[in-house]
């Protein structure tokens, strides 16, 4: 379970995340929605332990976010975080060194389904293929938690559905807790059990995906426009 | 295993710059050997290349850190369950290894020339002293690298004033290093070793006795450790900017 209490992150005068208090139940998929600059990426970085909060607390299974929690968190940042000189297989080996939950069997399947060759250089991959590589590296782990920042951004529309299906199947199989930030609400909507709308760093609205649809009598995409 | 993986990654990061420097050194050596026949001019032209080793190390430390932010790889590295000590330690060791290899290359180029100089007869007695002196210098620069780390990471926090701040921190740190090296002996039990200094004249090389107080090294090791520790504290927090 993930809990945050009055979580704040400031960059000088800019308040990227303001007093965010959230509880994410185990085994659920939570959608983090909001406009550019609403604080989605910063919130995920704070939960992944990549950034430090200015104020407030974040805990995973009762443990404060830190080096210990990184071992069971699988985090995919928005941009391609891999070294250009690495080959696909180098990225996977590097991941496997640090994470005991890395599954080579799963990795083989993912690379195959994402059409990634083990000996391709990261620097030679297109933006879309780099996005696939990032997902393959993250989903090859049997982690308790997944934090995915714009995971399908840059992937062609035809492949998006297939990848989302793969992700959903994987998360259900592992009963993992997942937080996904995305602009692509239409495509990703079937993934979410819960939704958190962020506006200017604060939580504008949150609730179960089904509950919000019933309450506002519209899809999450329409709600995204309203919030 | 985690440290080894990080170290291998850092070595790979260092490889292009290291190879460029090696090619540059070999180019200079080729020029010197083809242009001059006498051993002394060759020596006077090749030996100063040793002065570039510390600059190379400091520059590489800056570039290595900068590349993590410019390539966005910092987000991957910081999401790994590895401590800042392991991550920065791997960088420090890789840059140091590059420096040592560059220094060895220069040594390999200079040594055959030395054999042709009037000093060749004294090489046998001189070698232990020179190795001793090089070890002391090596330790000094190994402790000096964290200053580059620290300066860069401090500079990242305040982008507008990055260059002057890095400069002030770096020069201030260098001053402290030198003062420590000179004065630590006043506060620490003195440990003296006799080393040979090489004095060069246009037509000969003379070895002179020189007494070195190694105690200064303890001061610099301590300062280097403090800077490394401070760098580790800054490392993860500097992703913000």
């Amino acid at each position: 379970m993930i809990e945050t209490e009055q979580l704040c992150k400031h960059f000088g005068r800019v308040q990227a995340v303001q007093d965010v208090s959230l509880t994410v139940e185990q085994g659920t998929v939570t959608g983090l929605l909001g406009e550019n600059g609403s604080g989605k990426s910063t919130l995920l970085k704070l939960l992944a332990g990549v950034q430090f909060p200015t104020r407030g607390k974040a805990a995973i299974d009762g443990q404060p976010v830190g080096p210990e929690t990184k071992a069971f968190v699988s985090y995919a940042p928005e941009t391609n975080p891999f070294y250009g000189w690495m080959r696909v297989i180098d990225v996977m080996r590097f991941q496997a060194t640090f994470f005991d939950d890395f599954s080579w069997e799963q990795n083989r399947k993912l690379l195959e389904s994402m059409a990634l060759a083990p000996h391709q250089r990261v620097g030679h991959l297109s933006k879309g293929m780099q996005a696939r590589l990032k997902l393959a590296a993250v989903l090859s782990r049997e982690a308790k938690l997944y934090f995915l920042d714009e995971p399908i951004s840059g992937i062609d529309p035809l492949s998006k559905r297939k990848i989302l299906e793969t992700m959903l199947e994987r998360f259900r199989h592992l009963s993992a807790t997942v937080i996904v930030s995305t602009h692509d609400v239409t495509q990703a909507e079937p993934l979410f059990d819960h939704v958190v709308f962020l506006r200017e760093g604060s939580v504008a609205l949150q609730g179960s995906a089904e509950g919000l649809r019933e309450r506002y009598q519209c899809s999450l995409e329409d709600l995204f426009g309203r919030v | 295993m985690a440290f080894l993986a990080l170290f291998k990654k850092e070595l790979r990061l260092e490889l292009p710059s290291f190879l460029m420097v090696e090619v540059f050194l070999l180019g200079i050596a080729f020029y010197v050997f083809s242009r001059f026949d006498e051993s002394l001019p060759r020596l006077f032209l090749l030996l100063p290349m040793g002065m570039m080793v510390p600059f190379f190390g400091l520059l590489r430390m800056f570039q290595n850190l900068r590349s993590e932010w410019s390539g966005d790889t910092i987000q991957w590295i910081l999401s790994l369950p590895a401590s800042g000590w392991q991550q920065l330690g791997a960088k420090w060791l890789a840059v140091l290894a590059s420096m040592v290899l560059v220094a060895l290359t220069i040594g390999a180029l200079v040594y055959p020339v030395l054999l042709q100089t009037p000093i060749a007869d004294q090489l046998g007695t001189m070698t232990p002293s020179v190795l001793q002196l090089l070890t002391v210098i090596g330790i000094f620069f190994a402790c000096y690298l964290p200053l580059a780390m620290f300066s860069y990471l401090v500079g990242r926090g305040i982008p507008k004033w990055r260059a002057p701040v890095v400069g002030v921190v770096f020069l201030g740190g260098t001053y402290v290093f030198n003062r420590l090296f000179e004065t630590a002996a006043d506060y620490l039990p003195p440990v003296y070793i006799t080393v040979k200094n090489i004095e060069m004249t246009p037509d000969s090389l003379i070895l002179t006795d020189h007494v070195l107080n190694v105690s200064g090294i303890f001061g610099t090791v301590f300062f280097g450790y403090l800077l490394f520790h401070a760098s580790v504290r800054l490392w993860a927090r500097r992703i913000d900017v």
Side-chain angles (χ1 to χ4, degrees), chain B residues 48-156:
Chain B
M49 291 199 301
M51 287 168 69
M52 71 175 271
V53 178
F55 293 109
F56 166 71
L58 296 174
L59 191 69
R60 274 310 304 155
M61 188 51 86
F62 277 111
Q63 284 182 336
N64 182 307
L65 288 167
R66 193 176 64 90
S67 71
E68 297 286 10
W69 273 271
S70 62
D72 265 338
T73 49
I74 186 81
Q75 304 208 43
W76 187 28
I77 295 306
L78 289 183
S79 70
L80 300 172
S83 68
W85 284 91
Q86 286 178 314
Q87 289 172 353
L88 287 184
K91 287 185 185 297
W92 174 79
L93 203 59
V95 173
L96 193 64
S98 302
M99 281 173 78
V100 169
L101 288 175
V102 169
L104 285 175
T105 307
I106 294 169
L109 292 171
V110 168
Y111 194 73
V113 180
L114 263 178
L115 288 175
Q116 294 164 0
T117 62
I119 207 174
D121 300 340
Q122 302 168 55
L123 275 180
T125 52
M126 188 181 112
T127 306
S129 293
V130 170
L131 287 178
Q132 215 170 28
L133 186 63
L134 287 177
T135 307
V136 172
I137 294 171
I139 293 170
F140 184 85
F141 282 110
C143 300
Y144 198 52
L145 279 182
L147 178 62
M149 242 181 223
F150 181 74
S151 308
Y152 182 79
L153 293 172
V154 165
R156 274 210 78 82

Side-chain angles (χ1 to χ4, degrees), chain A residues 7-220:
Chain A
L7 202 61
C8 293
K9 181 68 188 177
H10 302 166
F11 300 107
R13 287 180 186 172
V14 179
Q15 301 188 330
V17 172
Q18 289 184 68
D19 297 323
V20 171
S21 297
L22 282 177
T23 303
V24 178
E25 295 297 332
Q26 200 171 332
T28 57
V29 180
T30 302
L32 209 53
L33 310 176
E35 292 178 323
N36 291 331
S38 58
K40 303 184 300 290
S41 297
T42 308
L43 183 57
L44 285 181
K45 282 177 190 169
L46 292 172
L47 293 174
V50 170
Q51 279 184 346
F52 286 81
T54 311
R55 200 156 30 87
K57 290 176 192 167
I60 297 171
D61 287 346
Q63 271 185 291
V65 170
E68 296 79 22
T69 58
K70 287 178 186 177
F72 51 81
V73 167
S74 195
Y75 167 66
E78 189 179 359
T79 50
N80 165 42
F82 306 122
Y83 296 92
W85 52 265
M86 278 187 169
R87 294 168 303 162
V88 169
I89 191 72
D90 297 329
V91 170
M92 301 309 166
R93 281 187 190 136
F94 197 72
Q95 282 277 94
T97 310
F98 289 92
F99 300 105
D100 297 336
D101 55 18
F102 191 91
S103 160
W104 281 107
E105 176 58 27
Q106 183 62 26
N107 180 253
R108 191 187 55 75
K109 284 185 201 165
L110 281 165
L111 291 187
E112 220 171 86
S113 71
M114 303 229 183
L116 284 160
H119 294 283
Q120 280 178 297
R121 291 232 176 257
V122 175
H124 295 170
L125 296 173
S126 66
K127 198 182 164 201
M129 293 304 274
Q130 286 179 350
R132 287 174 184 224
L133 172 66
K134 192 171 64 182
L135 278 175
V138 163
L139 297 176
S140 294
R141 290 181 55 197
E142 291 175 352
K144 280 162 75 176
L145 289 131
Y146 291 86
F147 298 147
L148 312 174
D149 197 356
E150 301 287 351
I152 48 173
S153 158
I155 294 172
D156 63 279
L158 279 175
S159 309
K160 267 182 189 173
R161 181 156 295 280
K162 193 181 153 197
I163 287 171
L164 281 168
E165 278 166 12
T166 310
M167 279 164 63
L168 194 60
E169 189 188 322
R170 183 99 179 113
F171 299 149
R172 297 277 181 255
H173 169 72
L174 295 169
S175 305
T177 310
V178 185
I179 302 182
V180 185
S181 89
T182 184
H183 290 114
D184 206 337
V185 188
T186 319
Q187 295 262 16
E189 193 167 337
L191 277 177
F192 306 141
D193 300 314
H194 290 268
V195 182
V196 176
F197 288 96
L198 288 178
R199 192 176 52 210
E200 292 172 4
S202 303
V203 176
L205 183 69
Q206 63 171 315
S208 77
E210 203 47 56
L212 287 173
R213 276 190 215 104
E214 272 179 28
R215 192 168 142 201
Y216 292 93
Q217 292 294 308
C218 62
S219 67
L220 292 179

